Amino acid sequence: MAGQGGSSAAPQRGSGRGVVISDDWPGYSLDLFTYPQHYYGDLEYVLIPHGIIVDRTECLAKDIMQDIGDNNIVVLCVLKGGYKFCADLVEHIKTLSRNSERSISMKVEFVRLKSYHHDQSTQDMQIIGGEDLSKLTGKSALIVEDIIGTGRTMKALLNNIEKYKPKMIKVASLLVKRTSQPDGYRPDYYGFEIPNLFVVGYALDYNEHFRDLNHICVINDNGKGKYKV
């Protein structure tokens, strides 16, 4: 699987549960894919094409079914970036459940976490909709997130949820970003481990733009400047 720059090795399945995309992975040329015309000139390259995202999401659904099937689960979707991944993951789990002797009963709740300003993570994290977390008391919870970097935001959310004494908490994230903290937080399930890049698409945004981009792409300086607020 060649990228835009030639013969660098394709992403590999890691020893954990995610596909590891190396720092020297050149990605795919934008010319190979369709994407909204209003983003022409705003992106460097496609890091993960939409089809590969869909396939990995189905694999994660199988892992989740294998581990926590026969449970009643409260799915806690972290908005806004997690809505697309969550919807697709839940749909895959529902399909597997219908065709399996094991089944998962799911209810979906929503919470918003705010910790980014432009492309920089901030020290402060706000939980919006946290009053609904009391519904997790005594329940099995699956938190669904779009991307985890340092893990600081997720740890803060988990600390908040644990106050309500849920029966079980599992975390699924589409992306895990490699940071300068090698011992940082790792979710129970994740699709891809990616370099420390700012990525957009598949509902991941930059100041509310790029959510309508199907592929996960790396934004360029022109895009950051155009949509800076």
Side-chain angles (χ1 to χ4, degrees), residues 53 57 76-89 110-116 143-148 154 172-175 198-216:
I53 299 169
T57 302
L76 188 65
C77 176
V78 180
L79 297 174
K80 293 180 182 178
Y83 81 83
K84 179 65 173 167
F85 174 51
C86 184
D88 289 351
L89 181 66
F110 301 92
V111 67
R112 281 194 66 189
L113 309 179
K114 193 167 179 61
S115 63
Y116 267 85
I143 302 172
V144 180
E145 174 69 288
D146 55 351
I147 185 168
I148 293 175
M154 182 54 66
S173 181
L174 177 62
L175 305 176
F198 193 85
V199 293
V200 294
Y202 196 69
L204 283 82
D205 77 305
Y206 176 74
N207 293 329
E208 297 301 326
H209 296 275
F210 299 99
R211 295 196 195 276
D212 55 339
L213 176 65
N214 280 336
H215 315 292
I216 292 177

Side-chain angles (χ1 to χ4, degrees), residues 49-69:
H50 180 251
I52 296 177
I53 299 169
V54 172
D55 190 74
R56 279 294 298 139
T57 302
E58 184 176 5
C59 288
L60 292 177
K62 290 179 180 178
D63 289 342
I64 291 168
M65 273 293 293
Q66 181 177 341
D67 290 349
I68 60 176

Side-chain angles (χ1 to χ4, degrees), residues 4-16:
Q4 66 172 1
S7 59
S8 289
Q12 300 294 317
R13 182 70 182 263
S15 57

Side-chain angles (χ1 to χ4, degrees), residues 15-61:
S15 57
R17 292 195 171 187
V19 173
V20 178
I21 299 178
S22 64
D23 288 343
D24 60 355
W25 169 242
Y28 299 90
S29 170
L30 292 160
D31 295 336
L32 298 173
F33 301 93
T34 59
Y35 62 100
Q37 187 171 352
H38 48 269
Y39 295 136
Y40 285 11
D42 301 332
L43 303 167
E44 290 284 352
Y45 55 86
V46 175
L47 184 68
I48 311 173
H50 180 251
I52 296 177
I53 299 169
V54 172
D55 190 74
R56 279 294 298 139
T57 302
E58 184 176 5
C59 288
L60 292 177

Side-chain angles (χ1 to χ4, degrees), residues 149-169:
T150 63
R152 184 172 58 242
T153 301
M154 182 54 66
K155 287 177 182 176
L157 177 61
L158 288 170
N159 287 338
N160 195 292
I161 290 175
E162 285 168 359
K163 298 175 186 176
Y164 299 97
K165 303 188 185 311
K167 176 184 174 183
M168 176 187 72
I169 307 176

